[in-house]
Amino acid sequence: MLNRAATIFLRNGRRVHAILPSEWEHMLTNDKDGARLRAAPRIKIFQPAEMSSGVGEPVRVHLLNLSTGGALVHASTAPATGQEVRLTCGIPLGSARVQWTDGNRFGVRFADPIGPEQVDRIVRRRTQDRDAPASAVAAPQALASA
């Protein structure tokens, strides 16, 4: 017998699945395999950055995507899962813990989430860096043709 508060999904007029209220939170926060879904959207980016782990010199890495809660990072050698690192890309992103690794790519979760304005500054900075050479080349050509 179904709980009266259950939500029933129908396909072609037939009940295919009933969701009890106790399952709603799980569905909102977990995917079908039980993995936690991200609380903040990630923005695709290819931003050079520096990573330090407290041992040796900082190393160059690239941010592949970024959100207020974490980032996908590429490095020549990925740190170990669970290792704490510090990321900087023009502005300090603070301390982060490596959540997983896959070859040279790894995901980090910031110890203290960064603000949406910081994400926006990094994205705008990347856009400005990408567009700067084109505008620098275009200006002399415009002067020569005038």
Side-chain angles (χ1 to χ4, degrees):
M1 177 183 251
L2 290 175
N3 179 336
R4 289 190 182 270
T7 300
I8 300 172
F9 292 92
L10 301 175
R11 181 180 298 153
N12 298 331
R14 297 177 56 189
R15 184 179 75 217
V16 292
H17 186 70
I19 301 175
L20 300 174
S22 61
E23 296 177 87
W24 291 345
E25 182 178 342
H26 174 79
M27 289 189 64
L28 295 174
T29 59
N30 294 354
D31 70 7
K32 65 180 177 152
D33 298 319
R36 299 285 294 175
L37 294 177
R38 294 183 180 101
R42 297 219 172 202
I43 297 170
K44 286 187 177 185
I45 188 170
F46 188 76
Q47 176 67 40
E50 284 190 344
M51 176 183 73
S52 60
S53 61
V55 178
E57 293 293 315
V59 296
R60 183 181 174 116
V61 297
H62 282 88
L63 302 179
L64 302 178
N65 71 33
L66 179 67
S67 76
T68 57
L72 172 61
V73 186
H74 179 274
S76 58
T77 303
T81 301
Q83 184 173 352
E84 189 170 312
V85 298
R86 296 189 68 76
L87 293 167
T88 303
C89 64
I91 61 171
L93 299 176
S95 181
R97 184 166 308 278
V98 177
Q99 300 296 306
W100 58 269
T101 63
D102 183 13
N104 294 0
R105 295 165 38 134
F106 56 99
V108 298
R109 181 178 184 184
F110 298 130
D112 295 312
I114 62 174
E117 59 283 343
Q118 285 179 290
V119 173
D120 188 51
R121 281 178 49 203
I122 293 165
V123 171
R124 276 191 280 127
R125 179 174 173 240
R126 179 64 187 152
T127 303
Q128 290 168 350
D129 289 349
R130 185 187 66 222
D131 293 343
S135 61
V137 171
Q141 290 173 348
L143 291 174
S145 64

